[in-house]
Amino acid sequence: MSRYSVSLHLAPLPASRGAVRQDQDGMMSGQISPTGKHSGPGSSPELRASHADRDRVVDVLRIAAGDGLLTADELDERLDAALSARTVRELAALTADLPAVSASTGTAVAEVKDVLRIEGVHSGAVKREGRWVVPRRLELATAWCAVTLDFTQAVITQDTLRIDMNTAGKKLTLITKPGIVVDTGALTLVHSKIKIRQAPDHGTPVTLRVELVGTTAHGRVVVRHARRTFGQWLLRKPASLPGGD
């Protein structure tokens, strides 16, 4: 039996067969609001949050943490609250003190791809830099083609990126920032080398884990953080922190 019991008083049908009796406020007699309560004059039910609403707030929180606006503890606390939020008002409170997401960022998040494939054979260098959208999975199928993936300004909407590699020759360069870690444990090397210099921690929460899997032959994999400009070096500012652009 339903948890809620609703008593409906049925009135005789009007002369018109398809007509429905309505109250003066336009609501059907006995109609129930999304909150499970009867709608009536003066009622203002809370709007329920959908999965899409929660996902959007989670994206904003992760981007904010990547920009240094939230600490690791704050990110964890707000993510838990977002995933358990029941109403839109509860979600709005979690981002009320954060800068509004720009129109360009909102468009980028909407265009995130499940799989991005990069191919190249004896071609020029391939680069992804600036505010490019990090896909959920990336496939590299290159031969003697240098590839650079710069994550310092990238739009990141998930916490893990898997890069499937089938590469030969040249170099794959990953440019990271605090909060991004690279795992090469599942990558098979054939006459190849790996050089990793992770970005300084600075207490930043991990917002993206990049997992390299597959095989690379006769090439190199270099993981490094963004280099500081001369002006940033003078001011002792990390290149990837806000105000260090």
Side-chain angles (χ1 to χ4, degrees):
M1 180 176 291
S2 175
R3 189 177 169 184
Y4 298 99
S5 177
V6 181
S7 177
L8 301 179
H9 300 283
L10 301 179
L13 288 175
S16 175
R17 183 177 181 84
V20 178
R21 181 172 175 264
Q22 296 183 337
D23 294 330
Q24 291 182 352
D25 61 358
M27 300 294 292
M28 291 173 56
S29 297
Q31 184 172 344
I32 304 174
S33 71
T35 60
K37 299 179 180 180
H38 285 278
S39 298
S43 64
S44 55
E46 291 269 0
L47 289 178
R48 288 282 183 164
S50 66
H51 291 310
D53 293 329
R54 298 184 188 93
D55 290 343
R56 280 191 290 271
V57 171
V58 166
D59 290 343
V60 172
L61 294 174
R62 284 178 175 159
I63 292 173
D67 289 340
L69 300 174
L70 296 175
T71 65
D73 290 340
E74 288 173 330
L75 177 62
D76 289 341
E77 181 181 351
R78 296 196 189 196
L79 286 178
D80 288 342
L83 294 176
S84 61
R86 295 183 178 182
T87 67
V88 173
R89 179 181 297 180
E90 292 175 25
L91 290 175
L94 299 175
T95 59
D97 60 342
L98 299 176
V101 177
S102 65
S104 59
T105 301
T107 300
V109 170
E111 295 174 353
V112 63
K113 296 181 179 179
D114 289 329
V115 181
L116 173 64
R117 183 175 178 84
I118 297 177
E119 300 177 333
V121 178
H122 292 281
S123 59
V126 176
K127 293 184 178 182
R128 291 291 185 274
E129 54 190 0
R131 292 194 68 82
W132 66 289
V133 185
V134 177
R136 295 182 175 86
R137 186 165 65 87
L138 194 151
E139 296 179 351
L140 291 182
T142 60
W144 307 102
C145 173
V147 178
T148 299
L149 303 176
D150 187 343
F151 294 95
T152 55
Q153 298 182 47
V155 177
I156 300 170
T157 63
Q158 72 283 334
D159 55 10
T160 303
L161 169 64
R162 174 187 169 112
I163 301 180
D164 292 307
M165 296 181 58
N166 181 14
T167 63
K170 294 291 186 178
K171 178 173 65 174
L172 167 64
T173 303
L174 305 179
I175 304 175
T176 65
K177 64 179 180 179
I180 297 179
V181 297
V182 179
D183 182 0
T184 61
L187 182 63
T188 300
L189 303 178
V190 180
H191 301 293
S192 299
K193 295 181 179 180
I194 294 180
K195 181 179 181 181
I196 299 180
R197 187 179 180 184
Q198 302 278 17
D201 190 317
H202 295 302
T204 305
V206 175
T207 54
L208 179 66
R209 181 176 298 277
V210 181
E211 301 174 349
L212 301 183
V213 300
T215 303
T216 184
H218 305 284
R220 288 191 298 158
V221 175
V222 176
V223 179
R224 64 175 178 82
H225 54 83
R227 296 189 178 96
R228 292 185 296 181
T229 65
F230 181 69
Q232 291 166 348
W233 179 82
L234 288 176
L235 296 174
R236 300 295 190 269
K237 289 183 178 180
S240 57
L241 292 183
D245 292 337

